[in-house]
Amino acid sequence: MDAPLVLGIETSCDETGIGIVRGRTLLSNTIASSMDEHARYGGVVPEVAARAHLEALQPSIDAALAEAGVTLADLDAVAVTSGPGLAGALMVGVGAAKGLAVALDKPLYAVNHLVGHIAADILDAEAGELEYPTVALLVSGGHTSLLLVRDLTSDVELLGETMDDAAGEAFDKVARLLGLPYPGGPEIDRAAATGDPAAIRFPRGLSRASDMASHRYDFSFSGLKTAVARWVEQHEATGEPVPVADVAASFREAVVDVLVTKALDACVRYGVPRLLLGGGVIANKRLRDVALERAAAAGVAVRIPPLRLCTDNGAMIAALAAELIASGRRPSTLAFGADSTLPVTEIQVAEDPDAPAPDAETPAP
């Protein structure tokens, strides 16, 4: 079969993403963000996010179709994020995808949001083929996960994940402590630009020798956030101004150190000389720079999807579905819902054993 034309819908958090791909070729990637609506609350409000998705879905679909130069009738399949994410937000996308698939009589693929972040890499035409196995570090506002990917469509193992706050959440909370606006990631980055990353030695969560047995690849940023809060409180008690730049740089360095150290340790332990970085927090330049520098010293090749595809988007969901189709996976039934805690090992949800399998063929690059 020809490379499938797939429309992907992503509504796991505060961004309504609609993407269209033909196999591994990106045709359109439309994103409507409700970030400004959440800024007044200092974080994402699930009910506000769900309402914003409802309002943005149809215009975003229309815009994606126009950019791709295709119609709904041209589609070969519809894909949607089933989870993980905010339950109410996911429900909007799942409902829309089901309605669209039924109305168009097209196959529907319900897929995993986190694996979608890995699939974003295959849309980079200049990066070359994604080799397996690869270690993947996914860092976003809601997720921090370390994965061993033996095959994108059939074998993804969770090595570790955050035990409390995700890295992105920690950035938001520390930004609030420092009087910086939401979202915290870019603001911390800007403040840290003139700061000294070695000014304050903040703790590296779950990095002690005693943590290695049961939490070697897990992450914890709650203690780091508390340490920053206490440092700021103690400094304010002296009546001196808080050195925001130094605190921001030192905090960021602690997060980056833990992320990169654990990711490269996984590469060494599993004998995998490849590391893929994904998720919105990868936009942090310090994280990318440290990862590239330390990986080069360790003989590990680093892959980073284009930054516009690192944040939540529908194109990565469509790309994952296109790979599932190419591998011969059957479409999903309609008997699935929004699963806020969907495990990363469930790459596709509710595959229909009775549906005809598509002709397996590697998508055209």
Side-chain angles (χ1 to χ4, degrees):
M1 63 176 291
D2 293 333
L5 182 67
V6 185
L7 180 145
I9 299 175
E10 154 59 31
T11 63
S12 66
C13 193
D14 62 334
E15 291 170 316
T16 306
I18 306 296
I20 299 175
V21 305
R22 189 179 296 278
R24 295 177 179 172
T25 300
L26 176 64
L27 301 183
S28 65
N29 183 35
T30 299
I31 299 175
S33 175
S34 59
M35 186 179 298
D36 290 345
E37 297 177 52
H38 301 286
R40 71 185 73 174
Y41 306 106
V44 177
V45 180
E47 292 80 3
V48 173
R51 173 61 64 180
H53 287 311
L54 282 170
E55 296 173 351
L57 259 174
Q58 188 61 57
S60 297
I61 291 173
D62 292 342
L65 291 169
E67 181 184 349
V70 300
T71 68
L72 288 174
D74 296 326
L75 298 176
D76 294 309
V78 176
V80 66
T81 297
S82 176
L86 301 175
L90 289 166
M91 289 172 64
V92 176
V94 168
K98 287 182 178 181
L100 199 56
V102 170
L104 298 173
D105 193 24
K106 302 291 185 180
L108 175 61
Y109 286 79
V111 303
N112 192 295
H113 170 83
L114 295 180
V115 184
H117 276 298
I118 304 169
D121 180 80
I122 67 176
L123 294 175
D124 185 357
E126 299 178 1
E129 193 81 10
L130 176 62
E131 296 183 61
Y132 301 111
T134 187
V135 171
L137 174 65
L138 306 181
V139 192
S140 67
H143 304 281
T144 303
S145 305
L146 192 58
L147 314 173
L148 178 60
V149 184
R150 298 184 182 89
D151 186 274
L152 179 64
T153 62
S154 62
D155 191 350
V156 176
E157 179 184 349
L158 177 66
L159 300 180
E161 60 187 341
T162 183
M163 306 293 289
D164 39 60
D165 291 343
E169 290 177 290
F171 272 95
D172 290 338
K173 291 176 179 178
V174 169
R176 194 179 310 136
L177 287 170
L178 297 176
L180 301 175
Y182 174 86
E187 298 297 331
I188 291 285
D189 231 17
R190 277 190 280 271
T194 57
D196 178 5
I200 310 160
R201 176 68 184 183
F202 286 126
R204 274 63 169 160
L206 296 181
S207 295
R208 296 173 301 183
S210 58
D211 298 317
M212 291 299 99
S214 55
H215 296 295
R216 183 167 182 166
Y217 298 124
D218 289 322
F219 303 92
S220 174
F221 298 107
S222 180
L224 171 60
K225 172 202 65 181
T226 301
V228 174
R230 287 177 177 168
W231 193 96
V232 170
E233 289 169 359
Q234 291 170 359
H235 201 83
E236 288 176 335
T238 67
E240 299 179 15
V242 174
V244 172
D246 285 348
V247 175
S250 299
F251 161 75
R252 183 181 66 177
E253 201 69 9
V255 174
V256 168
D257 187 18
V258 169
L259 291 173
V260 175
T261 297
K262 291 195 175 227
L264 291 179
D265 179 64
C267 290
V268 172
R269 185 182 186 188
Y270 289 93
V272 178
R274 290 171 290 276
L275 174 63
L276 186 150
L277 305 179
V281 178
I282 300 303
N284 186 289
K285 185 176 185 299
R286 181 61 179 166
L287 174 55
R288 298 197 309 276
D289 288 347
V290 171
L292 289 168
E293 178 183 344
R294 290 173 57 180
V300 173
V302 176
R303 294 175 67 106
I304 305 174
L307 293 184
R308 71 184 188 281
L309 297 177
C310 285
T311 58
D312 294 347
N313 64 86
M316 69 185 193
I317 301 305
L320 177 53
E323 291 295 296
L324 290 166
I325 293 170
S327 67
R329 293 283 287 271
R330 294 171 172 82
S332 301
T333 70
L334 295 179
F336 73 92
D339 188 345
S340 61
T341 60
L342 183 68
V344 71
T345 50
E346 290 191 39
I347 301 167
Q348 179 190 354
V349 178
E351 183 179 3
D352 186 354
D354 299 321
D359 297 328
E361 179 181 305
T362 302

